[in-house]
């Protein structure tokens, strides 16, 4: 297995991740079976999770992409850059925003606010990981969460450190706190 020397510990193995993804897929299948939802991947970090998740949702759906950047190294910059270039018309649609991890929640609260202005029927958030102890936007919760984690900087399964490690099939920690 490809394990870069910077990865100190594996937090979730491939099997553990797929159990979380399966369970999210089952819940979404129940909730969206009659709604032809639009699943929106928040690039780049959510790309791996997104591609696994949509294959666990057993009902008709469409997909779309938007891009959001806020991290520099292991620090959230506090400024979020969004690009909606590839997003179709969402008016009247049931939108599910798919994100790798919710941290301060600045990114998702901004994305939700911008998308809400386009009059979708509903917007829900599905994330694989959640770090509730890091919240800056108070009261923000995801509608579907794979698993909550402590205040750790994680990489792999789409998540990067300065654009590296996205291709690891597991989720690991670079430095122990
Ligand atoms: P937020 O706006 O909630 O602070 O951060 C959201 C984005 O920051 C996530 O989508 C992710 O791209 C990045 N991020 C937050 N925590 C981590 C982490 O532990 N590891 C990595 N690689 N990225 C993170
Ligand atoms: Mg992300």
């Amino acid at each position: 297995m490809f394990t870069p020397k910077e990865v100190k510990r594996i937090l979730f193995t491939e099997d553990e991740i797929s159990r979380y993804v399966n369970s999210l897929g089952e819940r979404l299948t129940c909730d969206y079976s009659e709604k032809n939802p639009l699943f929106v991947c928040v690039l780049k970090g959510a790309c791996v999770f997104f591609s696994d998740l949509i294959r666990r949702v057993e009902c008709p759906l469409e997909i779309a992409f938007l891009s959001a950047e806020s991290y520099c190294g292991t620090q959230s910059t506090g400024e979020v850059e969004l690009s909606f270039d590839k997003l179709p018309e969402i008016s009247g649609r049931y939108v599910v925003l798919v994100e790798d991890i919710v941290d301060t929640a600045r990114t998702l609260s901004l994305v939700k606010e911008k998308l809400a202005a386009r009059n979708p029927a509903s917007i829900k958030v599905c994330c694989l990981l959640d770090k509730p102890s890091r919240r800056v936007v108070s009261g923000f919760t995801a509608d579907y969460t794979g698993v909550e984690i402590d205040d750790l900087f994680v990489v792999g399964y789409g998540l990067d450190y300065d654009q590296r490690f996205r291709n690891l099939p597991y989720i690991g920690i670079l430095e122990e706190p």
Side-chain angles (χ1 to χ4, degrees), residues 12-106:
F12 299 117
T13 62
E14 284 187 76
D15 281 353
E16 287 169 326
I17 295 170
S18 79
R19 277 199 285 276
Y20 294 127
V21 176
N22 287 347
S23 146
L24 289 169
E26 280 171 19
R27 289 179 59 201
L28 289 160
T29 303
C30 284
D31 294 354
Y32 286 91
S33 57
E34 305 297 324
K35 296 194 164 104
N36 187 30
L38 182 69
F39 275 55
V40 177
C41 174
V42 183
L43 295 170
K44 298 175 195 167
C47 67
V48 179
F49 170 47
F50 185 79
S51 69
D52 283 345
L53 180 70
I54 58 172
R55 286 175 291 167
R56 298 289 169 270
V57 180
E58 298 180 5
C59 65
L61 61 78
E62 293 174 28
I63 65 169
F65 299 88
L66 62 81
S67 122
E69 302 272 345
S70 69
Y71 255 70
C72 182
T74 61
Q75 300 301 313
S76 176
T77 60
E79 308 235 330
V80 185
E81 273 180 46
L82 299 179
S83 162
F84 295 97
D85 296 352
K86 302 256 185 294
L87 203 66
E89 170 69 51
I90 63 164
S91 170
R93 301 293 306 267
Y94 291 87
V95 174
V96 180
L97 275 172
V98 179
E99 175 65 304
D100 46 7
I101 185 164
V102 186
D103 182 39
T104 64
R106 284 195 191 102

